[in-house]
Amino acid sequence: GDSVTQMEGPVTLSEEAFLTINCTYTATGYPSLFWYVQYPGEGLQLLLKATKADDKGSNKGFEATYRKETTSFHLEKGSVQVSDSAVYFCALSDPAAGNKLTFGGGTRVLVKP
Amino acid sequence: SAVISQKPSRDICQRGTSLTIQCQVDSQVTMMFWYRQQPGQSLTLIATANQGSEATYESGFVIDKFPISRPNLTFSTLTVSNMSPEDSSIYLCSVEYFANEQFFGPGTRLTVL
């Protein structure tokens, strides 16, 4: 079956540091890939997505590129802020599995001033 | 994107009782989903709720424990029946608004004593 693996947290950074969260996947079909963010006490928000190989999703300074050859979708941000402290989830939607979302385990990011 | 609300936002319940969670969307959607997020964990799909048909449950989840209603294209309920402390989780509904994109409600935080 489909699966998503992302680096375990917590990741602790100083403000303005560079953030990378690794995400790799396995899928039966040709999936769409997503990053969701969950701020403390809130539900999930879609952060960015990519639907085909070499697509780059971007939003709020975050970027991730769909790498089919390495089955990866790593999340990056060049300069984090305290307000980026949250849990980040990598996910895929596989048409071969009825487009159900499969989530990674989540990575907690803590940005300190 | 869709505006999704859930009621209640949180509740504390006694074991053996049942709680019904409501999910309301501001526009008509075909696909609605219910997820469980256990403490410190990722999201697990409970079931897919389509209007006019019975919900489709994922492995490990059964209708007797998690009955779902979907009376129209903007509303769904999930009941957590005969609760035990192991049911303490955040329960989230989501909708597929655009192809392959799911938007999530704010979640219902359930604590079972």
Side-chain angles (χ1 to χ4, degrees), chain A residues 34 36 38 49 99 104, chain B residues 35 37 42 58 100-102:
Chain A
F34 306 86
Y36 283 85
Q38 187 175 35
K49 70 172 187 177
N99 283 327
Chain B
Y35 290 83
Q37 185 180 21
S42 187
E58 297 299 302
N100 296 334
E101 279 191 34
Q102 288 189 28

Side-chain angles (χ1 to χ4, degrees), chain B residues 26-75:
Chain B
D26 68 341
S27 57
Q28 294 184 341
V29 293
T30 302
M31 305 286 284
M32 293 183 76
F33 307 87
W34 287 99
Y35 290 83
R36 181 176 72 183
Q37 185 180 21
Q38 293 177 301
Q41 303 297 312
S42 187
L43 281 77
T44 302
L45 180 64
I46 297 172
T48 303
N50 294 325
Q51 194 266 338
S53 62
E54 286 200 5
T56 303
Y57 289 83
E58 297 299 302
S59 176
F61 297 96
V62 295
I63 187 171
D64 289 347
K65 176 67 176 177
F66 297 101
I68 288 171
S69 77
R70 181 80 199 275
N72 58 53
L73 291 174
T74 64
F75 187 79

Side-chain angles (χ1 to χ4, degrees), chain A residues 28-42:
Chain A
T28 306
Y30 196 142
S32 296
L33 303 175
F34 306 86
W35 277 100
Y36 283 85
V37 58
Q38 187 175 35
Y39 297 104
E42 299 184 14

Side-chain angles (χ1 to χ4, degrees), chain A residues 5 13 16 22 26 32 42 47 58-59 63 66 92-94 97 99 103 108-109:
Chain A
T5 303
L13 302 165
E16 299 183 2
N22 291 337
T26 59
S32 296
E42 299 184 14
L47 181 59
S58 61
N59 186 24
E63 293 183 342
Y66 191 143
L92 68 82
S93 172
D94 188 349
N99 283 327
F103 284 88
R108 182 176 298 277
V109 173

Side-chain angles (χ1 to χ4, degrees), chain B residues 91-103:
Chain B
Y91 292 86
L92 300 104
C93 68
S94 74
V95 303
E96 187 175 86
Y97 198 60
F98 302 114
N100 296 334
E101 279 191 34
Q102 288 189 28
F103 294 89

Side-chain angles (χ1 to χ4, degrees), chain A residues 55-68:
Chain A
D55 266 3
K56 178 186 285 188
S58 61
N59 186 24
K60 298 182 180 179
F62 290 89
E63 293 183 342
T65 301
Y66 191 143
R67 300 290 187 199
K68 196 169 189 293

